[in-house]
Amino acid sequence: MKALRVLNNNVVLARDPSGQEVILTGRGIGFGARQGKPIDPSLIVRVFVPADGRNPDHLAEVLALIGEDVLRAVVIALGEVGIEGRESTRPTLAIAVADHVAGALERAGRGISVEYPLRAEVQTLYAAEYAQAQLLLGAINERVDPRLDPSEATALALHLVNAGFASGDLSFTYTMTGIIQQMLNVVRERYGLDLAQESMSAARFITHVRYLFVRIQQHRQLSGHESTIGLGIRQHYPEATRTALRLARIVELRLEQHLSEDEVSYLALHVARMTTEADGAAA
């Protein structure tokens, strides 16, 4: 690794052996570093490989603005709990988490407590990320003072969910969370489902909808014209298809995105699975 630009003592923009620009972090990594000279490998804590056309210079500048101790705590914690390896292609995740932790530490130092209104939804809709966030919070708390409140796991979980999208902020993730909850409420009310009766199928539905949002963000919806499979789903599950059309309308109103016929068909399939599982549990 050869230094291209020293941002501060802990952040360096460098070029790796393949010629790609990367961001290196580590305590004292920039001290004494010189442009065009090799970086001491023992000082490198994390290697960030900017993806999706993100500007390495800009990301390095943002990282350099975050306090040394906070950045180090977050970078090490992300690796320790297995969310990120030593090399990361998602520098925006570390930046977002470190920025959030810095703000949370400032609030904690001033005795300000924040109650996140989406806590119940996050625990239900993003159970895996919430479990990871709890581990991450524990690892961060081992390295910061004052310790952060357990409620911060909600915000950290949202950042982990957001890492799967192209957007760099949480606004789309907040919107997605509200839409998923709204869609589930429509299915519950239409079929009178009990939450205890929909565990597996609801989890599959949530996962499907999350990938639907990824496709919407990437402008890669399933075929715009109805496929043979999609047509078969609509014919076999007419009631579920009517419900799916209502769900599609919610997405269109909230995101101003029209869903393709196949996307609606697969929503119908997941609705049918939820109702079938509920009927089986009630029998």
Side-chain angles (χ1 to χ4, degrees):
M1 303 276 192
K2 291 186 177 181
L4 296 177
R5 181 183 175 195
V6 178
L7 281 300
N8 60 26
N9 281 346
N10 311 296
V11 181
V12 173
L13 182 67
R15 192 179 303 281
D16 68 14
S18 70
Q20 183 170 10
E21 290 188 6
V22 297
I23 303 166
L24 310 178
T25 65
R27 187 183 294 275
I29 193 172
F31 185 75
R34 296 290 182 270
Q35 184 176 352
K37 299 298 182 182
I39 300 293
D40 183 352
S42 67
L43 297 177
I44 301 173
V45 173
R46 177 68 67 83
V47 179
F48 292 106
V49 185
D52 301 325
R54 297 185 184 275
N55 188 303
D57 271 287
H58 174 67
L59 291 174
E61 288 172 357
V62 175
L63 273 172
L65 292 174
I66 299 171
E68 169 190 338
D69 291 338
V70 172
L71 179 58
R72 180 177 176 81
V74 168
V75 165
I76 294 175
L78 283 167
E80 184 176 282
V81 302
I83 293 174
E84 290 280 78
R86 189 165 183 263
E87 183 171 297
S88 169
T89 58
R90 299 185 297 177
T92 48
L93 174 60
I95 292 171
V97 171
D99 183 60
H100 177 83
V101 169
L105 286 170
E106 181 182 352
R107 292 192 298 271
R110 295 163 57 189
I112 300 175
S113 178
V114 175
E115 184 63 35
Y116 294 98
L118 291 175
R119 183 175 181 179
E121 288 85 348
V122 170
Q123 287 178 301
T124 302
L125 301 180
Y126 315 125
E129 286 87 354
Y130 188 79
Q132 283 187 315
Q134 288 180 305
L135 294 175
L136 178 60
L137 180 61
I140 291 172
N141 273 337
E142 291 178 3
R143 298 172 173 85
V144 299
D145 185 36
R147 292 172 64 86
L148 300 180
D149 188 84
S151 64
E152 293 297 339
T154 299
L156 293 179
L158 285 170
H159 281 294
L160 295 179
V161 173
N162 192 58
F165 296 95
S167 173
D169 60 64
L170 284 177
S171 59
F172 189 82
T173 301
Y174 278 116
T175 300
M176 179 184 73
T177 303
I179 294 174
I180 293 176
Q181 194 64 52
Q182 189 176 357
M183 293 168 82
L184 284 172
N185 286 340
V186 167
V187 176
R188 291 189 189 102
E189 292 169 6
R190 191 175 182 92
Y191 298 98
L193 298 183
D194 187 330
L195 276 173
Q197 296 177 328
E198 21 166 289
S199 56
M200 287 302 296
S201 56
R204 294 190 191 99
F205 175 82
I206 292 166
T207 298
H208 174 81
V209 173
R210 288 177 60 179
Y211 280 109
L212 166 61
F213 285 123
V214 171
R215 292 193 293 276
I216 289 174
Q217 278 281 80
Q218 297 177 348
H219 306 290
R220 295 172 57 188
Q221 285 193 51
L222 298 176
S223 174
H225 301 290
E226 192 167 40
S227 66
T228 302
I229 294 175
L231 180 60
I233 292 171
R234 285 173 179 256
Q235 292 176 339
H236 196 70
Y237 303 111
E239 178 59 29
T241 297
R242 284 190 283 272
T243 302
L245 288 169
R246 287 187 58 186
L247 304 183
R249 182 60 177 159
I250 292 171
V251 175
E252 290 164 10
L253 287 173
R254 298 288 298 275
L255 298 182
E256 298 183 344
Q257 290 283 340
H258 178 77
L259 295 190
S260 70
E261 291 179 327
D262 270 356
E263 293 288 5
V264 174
S265 294
Y266 281 102
L267 280 176
L269 179 60
H270 283 280
V271 170
R273 284 175 173 171
M274 278 193 281
T275 59
T276 299
E277 184 176 300
D279 290 341

